[in-house]
Amino acid sequence: MVIVLLGPPGAGKGTQGERLAARLDVPKIATGDVLRAAVRDGTPLGLEAKAAMDRGDLVPDAVIMGIMGEALASPDAAKGAILDGVVRTTPQAEGLNAQLAQLGRKVDAVIMFDIAEDELVRRLSGRTTCDICQRPFFGREPGEKCAVDGHAPEGTLIRRKDDEPDAVRKRLTVYREQTSPVINWYDTHGARLVHIDAIGTLEEVEARVMKALQH
Ligand code: AMP
């Protein structure tokens, strides 16, 4: 199964994507996580992407399609994948369809996380993120230890540069202008598009995701 998670930053795609990937036993592919790891490690990809990411802008479609092509063709993704924050422009949606077609696959479902903007601002401004596993935390301060996975090395919680107020505003504008048209694109290109209410506890939203996929 290839499932695309669509929605604005802070809607919970990453958290729900991780749960869904575990349930379906497929990898979660999150371009944001790949890019942040590249920035942290100072690779050429990271150096290319860093400035745009810090501003809250999108990185070029060609860069994203390169990451996707590699991830989808890996043996890990043979049974499918959960794509988190990947399709952020209409050309990326088209590119993804073409890459999947080459592998004899298609997008099986698109889940749109519906949520109001004031809730997103509230969530993102209170969020810290593990610099290693990239898990988000609410109500915990930068500098604290992640201490969730027992992953080694242990991560430290940081405030993402793009969770600062100016970058959040920019990301929401970019979402409205460049990403929200993707919803219509999928609607008119025969994909199975389901909307879920993204406000609620983790368990409530997870139950909605599972129900949406069963229909
Ligand atoms: P995320 O972790 O999904 O919020 O992504 C963080 C940042 O990485 C975004 O604000 C963009 O700068 C960049 N990024 C991640 N995925 C994409 C994508 N599919 N297209 C363009 N830029 C992306």
Side-chain angles (χ1 to χ4, degrees):
M1 270 213 141
V2 176
I3 300 174
V4 171
L5 307 184
L6 265 189
K13 303 181 300 293
T15 306
Q16 293 298 333
E18 199 175 306
R19 291 178 168 227
L20 189 55
R23 272 182 190 259
L24 300 179
D25 193 25
V26 296
K28 181 183 84 155
I29 303 174
T31 36
D33 290 351
V34 173
L35 291 168
R36 271 185 297 280
V39 169
R40 190 190 59 216
D41 297 344
T43 67
L45 172 64
L47 294 177
E48 184 179 356
K50 184 175 187 318
M53 291 176 76
D54 286 350
R55 284 194 308 271
D57 268 324
L58 297 183
V59 305
D61 289 335
V63 173
I64 298 298
M65 295 328 296
I67 297 173
M68 288 307 299
E70 207 173 297
L72 287 170
S74 100
D76 278 4
K79 282 200 327 185
I82 309 299
L83 308 188
D84 159 20
V86 171
V87 181
R88 275 170 137 111
T89 65
T90 306
Q92 287 180 24
E94 288 165 349
L96 175 64
N97 270 10
Q99 285 182 339
L100 287 172
Q102 279 196 341
L103 297 166
R105 330 247 304 258
K106 64 177 177 49
V107 171
D108 295 289
V110 179
I111 303 180
M112 171 63 207
F113 288 64
D114 289 326
I115 184 164
E117 239 180 60
D118 51 358
E119 171 68 9
L120 297 173
V121 173
R122 195 185 68 74
R123 285 188 188 184
L124 293 174
S125 60
R127 172 165 92 169
T128 50
T129 304
C130 172
D131 64 348
I132 303 281
C133 74
Q134 315 230 10
R135 185 166 286 165
F137 294 89
F138 299 91
R140 294 190 58 194
E141 295 300 316
E144 288 183 34
K145 290 292 172 195
C146 170
V148 165
D149 297 295
H151 55 73
E154 184 177 37
T156 302
L157 305 193
I158 53 156
R159 169 163 297 285
R160 276 171 52 174
K161 277 218 176 77
D162 61 351
D163 282 347
E164 299 291 347
D166 281 353
V168 167
R169 271 191 290 279
K170 175 76 183 174
R171 286 157 77 203
L172 292 176
T173 305
V174 165
Y175 176 78
R176 275 195 301 274
E177 291 175 355
Q178 299 188 57
T179 306
S180 64
V182 175
I183 305 169
N184 262 341
W185 189 90
Y186 274 121
D187 217 10
T188 52
H189 285 75
R192 192 171 142 226
L193 172 69
V194 282
H195 286 257
I196 59 144
D197 175 2
I199 295 195
T201 63
L202 293 185
E203 288 73 22
E204 284 164 350
V205 177
E206 184 177 24
R208 289 175 203 144
V209 169
M210 295 316 293
K211 193 162 167 221
L213 287 177
Q214 279 154 15
H215 285 297

